[in-house]
Protein backbone atom coordinates (compact mmCIF):
# COMPACT_ATOMS: atom_id res chain seq x y z
CA UNK A 1 0.00 0.00 0.00
CA UNK A 2 2.87 2.38 0.71
CA UNK A 3 4.85 1.56 -2.41
CA UNK A 4 4.46 4.12 -5.21
CA UNK A 5 1.92 4.86 -6.38
CA UNK A 6 0.45 5.14 -2.88
CA UNK A 7 -3.25 4.32 -3.24
CA UNK A 8 -5.99 5.05 -0.75
CA UNK A 9 -9.69 4.36 -0.52
CA UNK A 10 -11.92 6.71 -2.52
CA UNK A 11 -12.36 9.99 -0.71
CA UNK A 12 -15.79 11.36 0.14
CA UNK A 13 -16.98 14.61 1.70
CA UNK A 14 -13.92 16.58 0.62
CA UNK A 15 -16.05 19.46 -0.73
CA UNK A 16 -16.08 22.30 0.20
CA UNK A 17 -12.28 22.12 0.08
CA UNK A 18 -10.57 22.10 3.45
CA UNK A 19 -7.92 20.25 5.41
CA UNK A 20 -4.34 19.33 4.55
CA UNK A 21 -4.86 18.73 0.81
CA UNK A 22 -6.34 22.20 0.31
CA UNK A 23 -3.74 24.94 -0.01
CA UNK A 24 -5.98 27.88 -0.83
CA UNK A 25 -8.48 29.39 -3.22
CA UNK A 26 -7.41 30.82 -6.56
CA UNK A 27 -7.66 34.56 -7.18
CA UNK A 28 -9.73 35.91 -10.06
CA UNK A 29 -8.47 38.43 -12.61
CA UNK A 30 -9.99 39.97 -15.70
CA UNK A 31 -8.16 40.15 -19.01
CA UNK A 32 -9.72 42.63 -21.41
CA UNK A 33 -9.39 41.35 -24.97
CA UNK A 34 -10.20 44.84 -26.25
CA UNK A 35 -6.85 46.07 -24.90
CA UNK A 36 -3.70 45.93 -27.01
CA UNK A 37 -2.08 42.51 -26.41
CA UNK A 38 0.97 44.01 -24.71
CA UNK A 39 -1.26 45.58 -22.03
CA UNK A 40 -3.63 42.69 -21.33
CA UNK A 41 -1.67 40.92 -18.62
CA UNK A 42 -0.35 44.02 -16.84
CA UNK A 43 -2.57 43.70 -13.76
CA UNK A 44 -1.94 39.98 -13.35
CA UNK A 45 1.82 40.34 -13.73
CA UNK A 46 2.01 43.37 -11.46
CA UNK A 47 0.44 41.25 -8.71
CA UNK A 48 2.41 38.09 -9.45
CA UNK A 49 5.75 39.58 -10.41
CA UNK A 50 7.64 38.27 -7.37
CA UNK A 51 6.22 34.77 -7.81
CA UNK A 52 7.06 34.76 -11.53
CA UNK A 53 10.62 35.91 -10.86
CA UNK A 54 11.00 33.18 -8.20
CA UNK A 55 9.76 30.48 -10.56
CA UNK A 56 12.02 31.65 -13.39
CA UNK A 57 14.97 31.67 -10.97
CA UNK A 58 14.33 28.00 -10.17
CA UNK A 59 14.42 27.20 -13.89
CA UNK A 60 17.68 29.17 -14.21
CA UNK A 61 19.13 27.19 -11.30
CA UNK A 62 18.06 23.91 -12.88
CA UNK A 63 19.53 24.91 -16.24
CA UNK A 64 22.78 25.94 -14.56
CA UNK A 65 22.87 22.64 -12.68
CA UNK A 66 22.70 20.78 -16.01
CA UNK A 67 25.16 23.09 -17.77
CA UNK A 68 27.31 24.70 -15.05
CA UNK A 69 29.05 27.01 -17.50
CA UNK A 70 25.85 29.03 -17.77
CA UNK A 71 25.84 28.60 -21.54
CA UNK A 72 22.29 27.19 -21.60
CA UNK A 73 20.86 30.30 -19.97
CA UNK A 74 23.01 32.43 -22.29
CA UNK A 75 21.34 30.73 -25.24
CA UNK A 76 17.89 31.27 -23.69
CA UNK A 77 18.60 34.95 -23.06
CA UNK A 78 20.27 35.67 -26.40
CA UNK A 79 18.53 33.38 -28.89
CA UNK A 80 15.00 32.75 -27.62
CA UNK A 81 14.00 36.43 -27.95
CA UNK A 82 14.47 35.94 -31.70
CA UNK A 83 11.79 33.23 -31.56
CA UNK A 84 9.17 35.66 -30.26
CA UNK A 85 9.06 37.42 -33.62
CA UNK A 86 8.00 34.16 -35.26
CA UNK A 87 5.22 33.37 -32.77
CA UNK A 88 1.66 34.11 -33.90
CA UNK A 89 -0.10 37.34 -33.00
CA UNK A 90 -1.38 38.20 -30.38
CA UNK A 91 0.67 35.73 -28.32
CA UNK A 92 3.99 37.30 -29.31
CA UNK A 93 2.83 40.74 -28.20
CA UNK A 94 1.35 39.41 -24.96
CA UNK A 95 4.68 37.70 -24.15
CA UNK A 96 6.55 40.94 -24.82
CA UNK A 97 4.16 42.76 -22.50
CA UNK A 98 4.70 40.21 -19.73
CA UNK A 99 8.48 40.52 -20.03
CA UNK A 100 8.26 44.31 -19.92
CA UNK A 101 6.03 44.44 -16.83
CA UNK A 102 7.83 41.68 -14.90
CA UNK A 103 11.39 42.65 -15.77
CA UNK A 104 12.10 38.99 -16.55
CA UNK A 105 14.34 38.62 -19.63
CA UNK A 106 12.23 38.07 -22.75
CA UNK A 107 13.93 34.78 -23.61
CA UNK A 108 13.03 33.33 -20.21
CA UNK A 109 9.36 34.33 -20.59
CA UNK A 110 9.41 32.68 -24.03
CA UNK A 111 10.90 29.53 -22.49
CA UNK A 112 8.12 29.41 -19.87
CA UNK A 113 5.53 29.73 -22.63
CA UNK A 114 6.96 26.90 -24.73
CA UNK A 115 7.62 24.62 -21.75
CA UNK A 116 5.03 22.13 -22.96
CA UNK A 117 6.65 21.59 -26.33
CA UNK A 118 10.09 21.32 -24.68
CA UNK A 119 9.07 18.69 -22.14
CA UNK A 120 6.91 16.25 -24.09
CA UNK A 121 9.72 13.78 -24.63
CA UNK B 1 -2.64 15.22 -14.98
CA UNK B 2 -6.06 13.70 -14.67
CA UNK B 3 -9.03 15.09 -16.62
CA UNK B 4 -12.58 13.79 -16.66
CA UNK B 5 -15.79 14.71 -18.45
CA UNK B 6 -18.90 13.14 -16.92
CA UNK B 7 -22.61 13.23 -17.62
CA UNK B 8 -25.11 12.77 -14.80
CA UNK B 9 -28.41 10.92 -15.04
CA UNK B 10 -30.23 14.15 -15.97
CA UNK B 11 -27.88 14.90 -18.89
CA UNK B 12 -25.83 17.63 -17.20
CA UNK B 13 -22.16 17.67 -18.17
CA UNK B 14 -19.34 18.29 -15.70
CA UNK B 15 -15.64 18.59 -16.39
CA UNK B 16 -12.83 18.49 -13.83
CA UNK B 17 -9.08 18.19 -13.79
CA UNK B 18 -5.95 17.93 -11.69
CA UNK B 19 -3.01 19.76 -13.21
CA UNK B 20 0.22 17.91 -12.39
CA UNK B 21 3.52 19.41 -13.48
CA UNK B 22 7.18 19.42 -12.51
CA UNK B 23 8.24 15.77 -12.73
CA UNK B 24 12.02 15.36 -12.50
CA UNK B 25 12.48 19.12 -12.35
CA UNK B 26 14.30 19.26 -9.04
CA UNK B 27 13.39 17.35 -5.87
CA UNK B 28 13.50 19.12 -2.51
CA UNK B 29 14.93 16.37 -0.29
CA UNK B 30 14.16 18.19 2.96
CA UNK B 31 10.50 18.93 2.26
CA UNK B 32 9.93 15.96 -0.07
CA UNK B 33 8.42 18.14 -2.78
CA UNK B 34 9.06 18.93 -6.43
CA UNK B 35 10.76 22.32 -6.63
CA UNK B 36 9.08 23.60 -9.81
CA UNK B 37 5.64 22.39 -8.67
CA UNK B 38 5.99 24.36 -5.44
CA UNK B 39 6.97 27.48 -7.38
CA UNK B 40 4.11 27.09 -9.85
CA UNK B 41 1.34 26.99 -7.22
CA UNK B 42 1.60 30.69 -6.28
CA UNK B 43 1.31 31.54 -9.98
CA UNK B 44 -2.11 29.90 -10.41
CA UNK B 45 -4.84 32.41 -11.29
CA UNK B 46 -8.37 32.26 -12.60
CA UNK B 47 -8.93 34.57 -15.54
CA UNK B 48 -12.15 35.98 -16.94
CA UNK B 49 -11.41 36.91 -20.56
CA UNK B 50 -13.81 39.65 -21.59
CA UNK B 51 -14.55 41.44 -24.84
CA UNK B 52 -16.90 44.41 -24.98
CA UNK B 53 -17.44 43.89 -21.25
CA UNK B 54 -18.80 40.36 -21.75
CA UNK B 55 -17.18 37.09 -20.78
CA UNK B 56 -15.84 35.19 -23.78
CA UNK B 57 -14.22 32.40 -21.80
CA UNK B 58 -12.75 31.65 -18.37
CA UNK B 59 -9.63 29.74 -17.50
CA UNK B 60 -7.34 28.52 -14.76
CA UNK B 61 -3.89 29.69 -15.71
CA UNK B 62 -0.32 30.28 -14.63
CA UNK B 63 0.53 33.98 -14.49
CA UNK B 64 2.99 34.69 -17.29
CA UNK B 65 1.72 31.83 -19.45
CA UNK B 66 -0.45 33.12 -22.29
CA UNK B 67 -1.67 29.75 -23.58
CA UNK B 68 -4.49 27.75 -22.00
CA UNK B 69 -4.50 24.37 -20.29
CA UNK B 70 -7.93 24.56 -18.62
CA UNK B 71 -10.93 26.61 -19.67
CA UNK B 72 -14.64 27.00 -20.21
CA UNK B 73 -16.66 28.83 -22.80
CA UNK B 74 -19.76 29.26 -20.62
CA UNK B 75 -22.83 27.40 -21.87
CA UNK B 76 -20.91 26.12 -24.93
CA UNK B 77 -17.99 23.81 -24.06
CA UNK B 78 -15.25 23.00 -21.57
CA UNK B 79 -11.67 22.10 -22.44
CA UNK B 80 -8.61 20.73 -20.69
CA UNK B 81 -5.34 19.46 -22.04
CA UNK B 82 -3.13 16.66 -20.69
CA UNK B 83 0.48 16.05 -21.57
CA UNK B 84 1.20 13.19 -23.97
CA UNK B 85 4.77 11.97 -23.96
CA UNK B 86 6.33 10.72 -27.17
CA UNK B 87 9.73 10.32 -28.74
CA UNK B 88 8.25 12.28 -31.62
CA UNK B 89 7.84 15.09 -29.12
CA UNK B 90 7.65 18.83 -29.15
CA UNK B 91 11.38 19.35 -29.44
CA UNK B 92 11.14 18.12 -33.06
CA UNK B 93 8.30 20.57 -33.66
CA UNK B 94 10.40 23.38 -32.18
CA UNK B 95 13.34 22.42 -34.36
CA UNK B 96 11.11 22.45 -37.45
CA UNK B 97 9.75 25.85 -36.39
CA UNK B 98 13.26 27.27 -36.00
CA UNK B 99 14.18 25.89 -39.41
CA UNK B 100 11.25 27.75 -40.94
CA UNK B 101 8.61 25.02 -41.23
CA UNK B 102 5.82 26.85 -39.40
CA UNK B 103 2.62 25.14 -40.47
CA UNK B 104 2.04 23.64 -37.01
CA UNK B 105 0.43 25.29 -34.00
CA UNK B 106 1.86 25.60 -30.50
CA UNK B 107 -0.36 23.44 -28.28
CA UNK B 108 -1.39 26.00 -25.70
CA UNK B 109 -1.96 28.68 -28.33
CA UNK B 110 -4.37 26.34 -30.11
CA UNK B 111 -6.37 25.72 -26.93
CA UNK B 112 -6.50 29.46 -26.30
CA UNK B 113 -7.65 30.11 -29.89
CA UNK B 114 -10.33 27.44 -29.59
CA UNK B 115 -11.64 28.86 -26.32
CA UNK B 116 -11.63 32.35 -27.79
CA UNK B 117 -13.09 31.62 -31.20
CA UNK B 118 -14.96 28.31 -31.41
CA UNK B 119 -18.68 28.76 -30.92
CA UNK B 120 -19.75 25.12 -30.60
CA UNK B 121 -18.58 21.76 -29.28
CA UNK B 122 -18.38 20.39 -32.82
CA UNK B 123 -16.29 23.30 -34.06
CA UNK B 124 -13.94 22.96 -31.08
CA UNK B 125 -13.63 19.21 -31.70
CA UNK B 126 -12.81 19.78 -35.36
CA UNK B 127 -10.13 22.38 -34.61
CA UNK B 128 -8.53 20.29 -31.87
CA UNK B 129 -8.47 17.13 -33.94
CA UNK B 130 -7.45 18.56 -37.32
CA UNK B 131 -4.97 21.36 -36.62
CA UNK B 132 -1.34 20.35 -37.06
CA UNK B 133 0.59 20.68 -33.79
CA UNK B 134 4.19 21.06 -32.70
CA UNK B 135 3.77 18.47 -29.94
CA UNK B 136 1.55 15.48 -29.16
CA UNK B 137 -1.28 16.05 -26.65
CA UNK B 138 -4.55 14.84 -25.18
CA UNK B 139 -7.46 17.25 -25.49
CA UNK B 140 -10.40 16.57 -23.21
CA UNK B 141 -13.50 18.33 -24.45
CA UNK B 142 -16.98 18.57 -22.97
CA UNK B 143 -20.05 20.04 -24.65
CA UNK B 144 -23.41 21.33 -23.51
CA UNK B 145 -25.66 18.53 -24.74
CA UNK B 146 -26.07 14.92 -23.75
CA UNK B 147 -23.34 12.68 -25.15
CA UNK B 148 -20.96 15.56 -25.86
CA UNK B 149 -17.69 14.62 -24.23
CA UNK B 150 -14.50 13.20 -25.68
CA UNK B 151 -10.79 12.63 -25.36
CA UNK B 152 -8.86 13.51 -28.52
CA UNK B 153 -5.51 11.72 -28.70
CA UNK B 154 -3.16 13.71 -30.87
CA UNK B 155 0.19 13.08 -32.48
CA UNK B 156 1.87 16.14 -33.91
CA UNK B 157 0.16 15.69 -37.25
CA UNK B 158 -2.74 13.31 -36.75
CA UNK B 159 -5.79 12.71 -34.63
CA UNK B 160 -5.02 9.16 -33.49
CA UNK B 161 -8.31 8.55 -31.72
CA UNK B 162 -11.47 10.30 -30.52
CA UNK B 163 -12.96 8.51 -27.50
CA UNK B 164 -16.49 9.74 -26.81
CA UNK B 165 -19.23 9.39 -24.24
CA UNK B 166 -21.55 6.63 -25.36
CA UNK B 167 -24.83 5.88 -23.58
CA UNK B 168 -25.36 2.70 -25.57
CA UNK B 169 -22.15 1.31 -24.07
CA UNK B 170 -22.86 2.69 -20.59
CA UNK B 171 -19.92 5.08 -20.98
CA UNK B 172 -21.12 8.04 -18.91
CA UNK B 173 -17.65 9.48 -18.39
CA UNK B 174 -14.33 9.67 -20.19
CA UNK B 175 -11.21 9.92 -18.06
CA UNK B 176 -7.70 10.66 -19.26
CA UNK B 177 -4.38 10.69 -17.42
CA UNK B 178 -1.21 10.70 -19.53
CA UNK B 179 -1.48 7.42 -21.42
CA UNK B 180 -3.38 6.36 -24.54
CA UNK B 181 -6.69 5.02 -23.24
CA UNK B 182 -6.44 1.83 -25.30
CA UNK B 183 -3.10 0.93 -23.68
CA UNK B 184 -2.17 0.03 -20.11
CA UNK B 185 -0.64 2.90 -18.14
CA UNK B 186 2.90 2.59 -16.84
CA UNK B 187 2.56 0.31 -13.81
CA UNK B 188 4.34 2.77 -11.48
CA UNK B 189 2.11 5.61 -12.67
CA UNK B 190 -1.38 4.14 -12.70
CA UNK B 191 -3.69 6.98 -11.70
CA UNK B 192 -6.30 5.78 -14.17
CA UNK B 193 -7.38 2.65 -12.29
CA UNK B 194 -7.94 4.37 -8.91
CA UNK B 195 -9.67 7.31 -10.61
CA UNK B 196 -12.01 5.02 -12.55
CA UNK B 197 -12.66 2.94 -9.45
CA UNK B 198 -13.77 6.10 -7.62
CA UNK B 199 -15.88 7.27 -10.57
CA UNK B 200 -17.64 3.90 -10.73
CA UNK B 201 -18.12 3.90 -6.97
CA UNK B 202 -19.63 7.41 -7.15
CA UNK B 203 -22.12 6.32 -9.84
CA UNK B 204 -23.71 8.40 -12.58
CA UNK B 205 -26.66 9.31 -10.37
CA UNK B 206 -24.38 11.01 -7.84
CA UNK B 207 -21.82 12.66 -10.08
CA UNK B 208 -21.44 16.42 -9.61
CA UNK B 209 -18.61 18.94 -9.28
CA UNK B 210 -18.51 18.11 -5.56
CA UNK B 211 -18.08 14.37 -6.06
CA UNK B 212 -15.59 14.96 -8.87
CA UNK B 213 -13.56 16.90 -6.31
CA UNK B 214 -13.65 13.77 -4.12
CA UNK B 215 -12.33 11.64 -6.99
CA UNK B 216 -9.55 14.13 -7.71
CA UNK B 217 -8.68 14.27 -4.01
CA UNK B 218 -7.97 10.55 -3.80
CA UNK B 219 -4.29 9.58 -3.84
CA UNK B 220 -2.55 8.91 -6.23
CA UNK B 221 -4.94 10.88 -8.48
CA UNK B 222 -3.87 13.64 -6.11
CA UNK B 223 -0.09 13.47 -5.86
CA UNK B 224 2.94 15.62 -5.19
CA UNK B 225 2.87 17.07 -8.70
CA UNK B 226 -0.72 18.33 -8.38
CA UNK B 227 -0.76 22.12 -8.43
CA UNK B 228 -4.49 22.77 -8.76
CA UNK B 229 -7.90 21.16 -9.15
CA UNK B 230 -10.47 22.83 -11.43
CA UNK B 231 -14.20 22.04 -11.51
CA UNK B 232 -16.41 23.18 -14.39
CA UNK B 233 -20.13 23.04 -15.13
CA UNK B 234 -20.86 24.08 -18.70
CA UNK B 235 -24.56 24.79 -18.16
CA UNK B 236 -24.02 27.35 -15.39
CA UNK B 237 -20.64 28.57 -16.62
CA UNK B 238 -19.07 27.61 -13.28
CA UNK B 239 -15.29 27.42 -13.05
CA UNK B 240 -13.80 26.86 -9.60
CA UNK B 241 -10.13 26.18 -8.90
CA UNK B 242 -8.32 25.17 -5.72
CA UNK B 243 -4.63 24.97 -4.93
CA UNK B 244 -3.68 21.50 -3.76
CA UNK B 245 -1.14 19.89 -1.48
CA UNK B 246 -0.40 16.23 -0.92
CA UNK B 247 1.05 15.55 2.50
CA UNK B 248 2.81 12.23 3.11
CA UNK B 249 2.14 9.45 2.58
CA UNK B 250 1.71 10.54 -1.01
CA UNK B 251 2.89 9.33 -4.39
CA UNK B 252 5.60 11.55 -5.93
CA UNK B 253 3.66 11.42 -9.25
Amino acid sequence: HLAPPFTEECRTGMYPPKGPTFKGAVTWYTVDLNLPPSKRWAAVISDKKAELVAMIQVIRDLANAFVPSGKLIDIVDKDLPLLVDTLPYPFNEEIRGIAAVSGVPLGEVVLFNIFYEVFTV
Amino acid sequence: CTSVVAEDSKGSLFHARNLDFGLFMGWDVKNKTWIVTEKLRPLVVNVDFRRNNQTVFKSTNFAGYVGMLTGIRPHVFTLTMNERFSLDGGYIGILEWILGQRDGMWMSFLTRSVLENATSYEEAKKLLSQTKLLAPAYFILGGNQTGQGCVITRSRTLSLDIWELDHSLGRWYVLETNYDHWKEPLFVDDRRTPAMKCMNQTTQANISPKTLYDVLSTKPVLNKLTTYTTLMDVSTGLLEAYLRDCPDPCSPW
Side-chain angles (χ1 to χ4, degrees):
Chain A
H1 224 59
L2 288 170
F6 172 77
T7 305
E8 62 184 4
E9 293 302 313
C10 296
R11 292 269 182 170
T12 56
M14 296 294 287
Y15 192 95
K18 58 190 175 299
T21 64
F22 170 58
K23 212 165 182 180
V26 177
T27 313
W28 276 95
Y29 290 87
T30 298
V31 166
D32 184 352
L33 296 169
N34 291 120
L35 285 175
S38 62
K39 309 278 185 202
R40 289 175 184 171
W41 294 94
V44 179
I45 300 304
S46 295
D47 273 10
K48 294 287 183 180
K49 183 177 168 180
E51 291 86 349
L52 182 60
V53 168
M55 200 277 302
I56 296 281
Q57 185 58 47
V58 164
I59 294 168
R60 289 180 71 98
D61 293 344
L62 277 172
N64 286 329
F66 278 111
V67 185
S69 65
K71 285 207 165 125
L72 190 56
I73 284 295
D74 282 351
I75 290 169
V76 169
D77 287 342
K78 285 177 189 162
D79 296 336
L80 276 189
L82 303 175
L83 194 65
V84 83
D85 293 326
T86 70
L87 297 178
Y89 180 89
F91 309 113
N92 53 356
E93 290 302 314
E94 291 186 11
I95 288 170
R96 282 184 209 283
I98 288 165
V101 174
S102 65
V104 173
L106 180 58
E108 294 171 26
V109 179
V110 172
L111 177 64
F112 183 42
N113 275 276
I114 63 170
F115 240 39
Y116 178 76
E117 276 75 11
V118 174
F119 284 99
T120 46
V121 62
Chain B
C1 303
T2 304
S3 289
V4 56
V5 177
E7 181 174 336
D8 72 7
S9 309
K10 296 171 189 162
S12 298
L13 284 149
F14 307 114
H15 192 155
R17 74 114 85 234
N18 275 356
L19 189 290
D20 304 346
F21 193 82
L23 183 64
F24 301 136
M25 295 173 74
W27 176 254
D28 182 336
V29 178
K30 188 181 164 194
N31 296 310
K32 296 181 189 166
T33 55
W34 295 102
I35 295 169
V36 169
T37 308
E38 294 300 305
K39 292 294 179 188
L40 278 172
R41 278 198 198 101
L43 286 174
V44 178
V45 290
N46 285 331
V47 184
D48 182 3
F49 288 85
R50 298 175 78 90
R51 185 177 286 126
N52 303 328
N53 225 14
Q54 291 203 319
T55 296
V56 179
F57 67 102
K58 299 190 273 189
S59 78
T60 307
N61 243 45
F62 295 113
Y65 190 81
V66 304
M68 297 296 132
L69 304 173
T70 306
I72 180 170
R73 192 160 171 116
H75 317 295
V76 184
F77 64 85
T78 52
L79 174 61
T80 58
M81 172 271 152
N82 285 13
E83 195 163 14
R84 181 168 184 262
F85 301 100
S86 168
L87 283 176
D88 183 19
Y91 65 101
I92 295 174
I94 293 174
L95 201 60
E96 286 179 356
W97 186 275
I98 289 167
L99 293 172
Q101 189 183 324
R102 294 176 186 150
D103 55 343
M105 188 84 163
W106 299 81
M107 183 283 304
S108 66
F109 296 166
L110 174 62
T111 47
R112 161 101 179 252
S113 294
V114 167
L115 282 162
E116 203 167 326
N117 300 310
T119 54
S120 70
Y121 170 81
E122 291 301 335
E123 186 185 358
K125 189 161 89 170
K126 186 178 171 188
L127 286 166
L128 293 166
S129 57
Q130 295 184 2
T131 306
K132 189 180 173 190
L133 289 168
L134 268 69
Y138 298 106
F139 295 118
I140 302 90
L141 181 67
N144 62 2
Q145 289 171 39
T146 180
Q148 289 187 334
C150 66
V151 175
I152 301 166
T153 302
R154 284 295 314 264
S155 72
R156 294 196 301 119
T157 52
L158 298 169
S159 171
L160 300 177
D161 181 76
I162 300 178
W163 188 39
E164 301 190 78
L165 295 177
D166 190 335
H167 296 303
S168 64
L169 297 173
R171 193 186 298 141
W172 58 275
Y173 68 88
V174 283
L175 187 145
E176 178 59 54
T177 58
N178 299 96
Y179 301 92
D180 297 346
H181 73 86
W182 61 92
K183 295 178 185 168
E184 288 297 313
L186 196 64
F187 75 101
V188 291
D189 183 29
D190 186 4
R191 286 161 284 125
R192 184 202 295 170
T193 305
M196 289 180 69
K197 178 187 158 198
C198 294
M199 288 295 291
N200 294 337
Q201 207 165 297
T202 301
T203 74
Q204 185 176 16
N206 292 315
I207 204 68
S208 69
K210 291 177 184 178
T211 51
L212 282 169
Y213 187 83
D214 288 336
V215 173
L216 294 174
S217 298
T218 302
K219 299 168 184 177
V221 185
L222 178 77
N223 58 72
K224 285 182 183 281
L225 290 167
T226 308
T227 55
Y228 66 78
T229 298
T230 295
L231 311 171
M232 295 181 282
D233 178 347
V234 70
S235 64
T236 61
L238 167 112
L239 180 146
E240 288 178 6
Y242 302 98
L243 302 179
R244 303 309 303 266
D245 199 6
C246 194
D248 285 323
C250 178
S251 177
W253 49 77

